[in-house]
Amino acid sequence: MKRVLFKIIVPVLILVLWILMCYPVCQQENGFDYFLFWIMVGFPYGIRKMCMFLIPKNFGIAGSIGVLAFNGVIGGLIGGIIVIARMIAVFVEIIKIIAGTSGHDVQKCDRRDIM
């Protein structure tokens, strides 16, 4: 039960709440802005990775803000890929739990079991 809670339920709830908070911001009068939605959903997942590469140093105030904005956009794009990877990881965990309860081991599959 602890595995289900911390590997499936909590990450999915956090991601769903974040997506629901970002959705109204991306609604505009001329349609839905998918690029902004991708960046906003991926931002908290990817900004930690991006701030390691580009650190605003020896710039003026405008250059520092520009580098931080660039970090935000690139971090959001990277984070969008991480969000998709997390969704796939949750799906794989669900499959492992279902296969584990049926008595079939997903990791050890004989050729005779397939045919």
Side-chain angles (χ1 to χ4, degrees):
M1 186 63 187
K2 188 175 182 180
R3 177 180 169 193
V4 172
L5 179 67
F6 288 110
K7 292 215 174 208
I8 296 174
I9 296 173
V10 172
V12 169
L13 281 177
I14 290 171
L15 185 61
V16 166
L17 286 174
W18 183 247
I19 287 173
L20 288 175
M21 286 186 346
C22 293
Y23 186 78
V25 175
C26 298
Q27 283 284 11
Q28 298 173 354
E29 67 256 358
N30 58 354
F32 190 75
D33 191 1
Y34 290 102
F35 184 68
L36 180 63
F37 188 64
W38 179 274
I39 290 173
M40 287 185 67
V41 168
F43 181 78
Y45 295 97
I47 196 64
R48 292 175 288 172
K49 307 275 189 265
M50 196 56 207
C51 281
M52 291 187 298
F53 299 121
L54 292 173
I55 299 169
K57 189 165 84 170
N58 295 331
F59 291 113
I61 196 78
S64 295
I65 297 297
V67 171
L68 288 175
F70 185 68
N71 274 342
V73 171
I74 300 300
L77 292 174
I78 292 171
I81 296 169
I82 294 172
V83 166
I84 291 173
R86 290 233 174 149
M87 286 184 205
I88 291 171
V90 166
F91 182 68
V92 167
E93 194 66 34
I94 291 170
I95 290 174
K96 283 182 184 178
I97 289 172
I98 291 171
T101 59
S102 67
H104 181 72
D105 192 5
V106 177
Q107 301 296 326
K108 297 177 183 175
C109 184
D110 294 330
R111 296 294 276 172
R112 293 183 295 266
D113 291 343
I114 297 173
M115 296 180 184

